[in-house]
């Protein structure tokens, strides 16, 4: 509808301008997109439209993010299988309107011994639940020495039992005990309040006024104190005024930006600037340029397999190809990758592992002394840096190697030119790795790039 020119022409100028501003943002919801959750996509659109700027306080923001949490739990593969089910889940959510509003809902029994700033007792005009007829009833009566003696109701046909004076005595006594117990509970509930007590009850209206509440209700116990309130409420003038309830439904207040919304600039984090931003930016640009989405995911899985092999958790020669495929597929499912994409990614992973298996240098990298996925943190050029080294290999001569895996591939000629470009691109990153490792180990390492898909080992 927002792209229907005939409908847009019928809008006011302000309306058309609003649609033109919102349409590019909303178009992201239906455009083909890489692997991104529906929750993150909706949040991104909400931020782009200026949603947070229209909210009054942080509690409103918290409620929006509770909606995002529900959306994240219900979505499947970036979409909604059943919108009605999402609406039902949202109906069950409870939202807060202020930071100080904390409500506890409990029975009168559970409130015993507790205190609250404000207490609200509702449904006082309702009838309590009736207990079922007992098969056998009895009553304990203390004698003059304080010892209890049991009076047991006779057993027989129901009609005969109900007409029996002993049974009637027990029944009336239990009823009186229940009434006293209800009065005690009502007293306990009312005395839980520190500041205010609110009592809500109802009784039936008649043509002439109203009826007293049911005898077994809690409101009947309070009736001597509250009957005047009900009498004034049933005044004819009050009833007439109450019929005109123009405030029951209201149109929500329309809020607009004074000028078109623009995402504010994000202030830099406090503290000294580091070179990590520049290096990471280069890394991300390289990965995005040279490797597609599926290739990046395959690279992640290949790194995980090379770590498993380097740590000796499985043998590179005895590893079952089918078993590897099953594990790869499981890892991809855990990453949220659909079945269609899994085929191509798993094939790329298998090609890389098979290349390493057949490459003498690849086998040398994974064998022998060293560390895999080795995390380091330390000072570098005036800042604290944290890095993860794909592989640290100590060779037979005692040389320490830092080897960075690159799952890039190259087709066509000039392979050496491609490798030289990769060395130039990742040189600063390996310099940082070498400096941090030298400070940690006291050894000056040698650095290299290894390309599993090309079976190329390049010292940097």
């Amino acid at each position: 509808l927002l792209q229907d020119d005939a409908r847009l022409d019928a809008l006011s100028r302000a309306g058309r301008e609003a649609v033109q501003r919102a349409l590019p943002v909303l178009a992201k919801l239906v455009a083909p997109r890489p692997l991104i959750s529906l929750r993150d996509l909706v949040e991104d659109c909400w931020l782009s439209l200026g949603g947070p700027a229209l909210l009054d306080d942080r509690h409103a923001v918290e409620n929006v993010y509770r909606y995002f949490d529900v959306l994240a739990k219900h979505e499947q593969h970036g979409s909604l299988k059943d919108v009605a089910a999402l609406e039902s889940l949202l109906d069950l959510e409870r939202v807060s309107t202020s930071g100080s509003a904390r409500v506890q809902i409990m029975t009168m029994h559970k409130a015993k011994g507790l205190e609250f700033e404000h207490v609200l007792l509702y449904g006082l005009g309702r009838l309590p639940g009736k207990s079922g007829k007992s098969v056998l009833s009895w009553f304990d009566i203390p004698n003059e020495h304080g010892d209890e003696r049991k009076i047991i109701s006779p057993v027989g046909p129901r009609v005969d039992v109900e007409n029996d004076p002993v049974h009637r005595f027990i029944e009336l006594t239990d009823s009186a005990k229940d009434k006293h117990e209800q009065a005690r509970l009502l007293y306990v509930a009312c005395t839980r309040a520190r500041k205010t007590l609110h009592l809500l009850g109802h009784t039936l209206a008649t043509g002439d006024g109203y009826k007293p509440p049911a005898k077994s209700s809690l409101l009947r116990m309070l009736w001597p104190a509250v009957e005047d309130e009900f009498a004034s409420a049933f005044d004819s003038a009050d009833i007439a005024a109450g019929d005109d309830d123009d405030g029951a439904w209201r149109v929500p207040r329309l809020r607009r930006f004074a000028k078109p919304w623009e995402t504010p600039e994000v202030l830099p984090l406090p503290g000294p600037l580091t070179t990590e931003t520049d290096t990471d930016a280069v890394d991300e640009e390289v990965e995005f340029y040279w490797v597609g989405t599926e290739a990046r995911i395959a690279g992640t899985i290949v790194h995980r397999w090379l770590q498993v092999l380097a740590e000796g958790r499985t043998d590179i020669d005895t590893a079952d190809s089918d078993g590897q495929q099953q594990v790869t597929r499981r890892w991809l499912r855990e990453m949220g990758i659909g079945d269609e994409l899994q085929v191509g990614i798993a094939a790329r992973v298998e090609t890389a592992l098979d290349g390493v298996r057949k490459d003498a240098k690849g086998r040398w990298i994974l064998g022998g002394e060293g560390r895999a996925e080795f995390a380091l943190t330390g000072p570098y050029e005036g800042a604290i840096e944290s890095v993860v080294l794909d592989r640290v290999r100590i060779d037979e001569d005692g040389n320490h190697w830092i080897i960075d895996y690159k799952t890039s591939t190259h087709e066509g000629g000039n392979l050496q030119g491609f490798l030289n470009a990769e060395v130039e691109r990742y040189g600063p990153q390996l310099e940082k790795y070498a400096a941090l490792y030298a400070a940690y180990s006291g050894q000056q390492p040698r650095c290299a790039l290894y390309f599993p898909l090309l079976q190329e080992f390049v010292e940097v």
Side-chain angles (χ1 to χ4, degrees), residues 103-159:
V103 179
Q104 296 186 48
I105 301 176
M106 61 181 66
T107 64
M108 294 181 180
H109 287 279
K110 290 187 177 181
K112 183 180 179 181
L114 304 177
E115 286 189 333
F116 306 90
E117 298 299 310
H118 311 278
V119 171
L120 187 148
L121 305 179
Y122 66 95
L124 298 179
R126 297 177 182 175
L127 296 176
K130 294 182 179 180
S131 58
K133 295 287 186 179
S134 301
V135 176
L136 183 66
S137 56
W138 61 85
F139 185 66
D140 293 321
I141 295 181
N143 59 20
E144 64 273 14
H145 304 294
D147 298 326
E148 290 187 347
R149 302 184 63 182
K150 242 180 240 307
I151 297 178
I152 301 177
S153 171
V155 179
R158 174 61 60 184
V159 176

Side-chain angles (χ1 to χ4, degrees), residues 130-284:
K130 294 182 179 180
S131 58
K133 295 287 186 179
S134 301
V135 176
L136 183 66
S137 56
W138 61 85
F139 185 66
D140 293 321
I141 295 181
N143 59 20
E144 64 273 14
H145 304 294
D147 298 326
E148 290 187 347
R149 302 184 63 182
K150 242 180 240 307
I151 297 178
I152 301 177
S153 171
V155 179
R158 174 61 60 184
V159 176
D160 295 342
V161 170
E162 290 181 350
N163 292 329
D164 183 82
V166 175
H167 175 80
R168 291 290 300 157
F169 170 77
I170 294 175
E171 191 175 61
L172 291 173
T173 303
D174 285 342
S175 176
K177 289 170 61 179
D178 289 341
K179 188 173 183 180
H180 286 302
E181 176 62 16
Q182 290 179 15
R184 186 189 70 83
L185 280 176
L186 181 59
Y187 167 79
V188 168
C190 292
T191 54
R192 300 306 92 198
R194 290 195 184 102
K195 293 182 179 179
T196 64
L197 171 66
H198 303 268
L199 304 175
L200 283 82
H202 74 284
T203 188
L204 296 177
T206 65
D208 300 330
Y210 59 89
K211 291 183 177 180
K215 290 184 178 180
S216 57
S217 68
L218 296 178
L219 182 60
R220 187 61 175 262
M221 298 181 183
L222 300 171
W223 195 242
V226 301
E227 184 177 5
D228 292 343
E229 299 288 340
F230 279 78
S232 62
F234 274 94
D235 184 86
S236 59
D238 291 339
I239 294 176
D243 288 341
D244 186 17
D245 190 3
D246 59 350
W249 300 97
R250 297 180 184 273
V251 177
R253 180 162 58 96
L254 181 63
R255 309 179 68 182
R256 296 185 185 276
F257 289 112
K259 57 183 180 179
W261 164 258
E262 293 183 2
T263 306
E265 294 185 4
V266 179
L267 297 176
L269 294 174
L273 295 176
T274 70
T275 58
E276 180 180 358
T277 302
D278 297 335
T279 304
D280 288 350
V282 171
D283 293 345
E284 291 176 6

Side-chain angles (χ1 to χ4, degrees), residues 249-327:
W249 300 97
R250 297 180 184 273
V251 177
R253 180 162 58 96
L254 181 63
R255 309 179 68 182
R256 296 185 185 276
F257 289 112
K259 57 183 180 179
W261 164 258
E262 293 183 2
T263 306
E265 294 185 4
V266 179
L267 297 176
L269 294 174
L273 295 176
T274 70
T275 58
E276 180 180 358
T277 302
D278 297 335
T279 304
D280 288 350
V282 171
D283 293 345
E284 291 176 6
E285 181 181 357
V286 170
E287 291 295 334
F288 180 80
Y289 239 173
W290 290 85
V291 186
T293 301
E294 296 179 27
R296 285 204 307 273
I297 297 170
T300 300
I301 300 297
V302 170
H303 275 67
R304 189 180 295 184
W305 268 119
L306 295 179
Q307 178 186 1
V308 170
L309 294 169
E311 292 176 348
R313 286 186 274 166
T314 185
D315 186 79
I316 192 170
D317 290 317
T318 60
D320 177 27
S321 177
D322 292 337
Q324 283 188 357
Q325 283 275 359
Q326 292 178 6
V327 174

Side-chain angles (χ1 to χ4, degrees), residues 375-418:
L376 281 176
T377 297
Y380 180 71
E381 296 186 354
I384 300 299
E385 301 280 356
S386 294
V387 299
V388 178
L389 311 182
D390 292 344
R391 176 64 168 153
V392 175
R393 175 70 161 88
I394 303 175
D395 64 18
E396 296 74 11
D397 298 326
N399 297 313
H400 291 235
W401 289 83
I402 294 177
I403 302 168
D404 203 35
Y405 304 136
K406 297 300 175 188
T407 52
S408 309
T409 187
H410 177 74
E411 297 179 0
N414 196 14
L415 175 60
Q416 190 58 48
F418 168 77

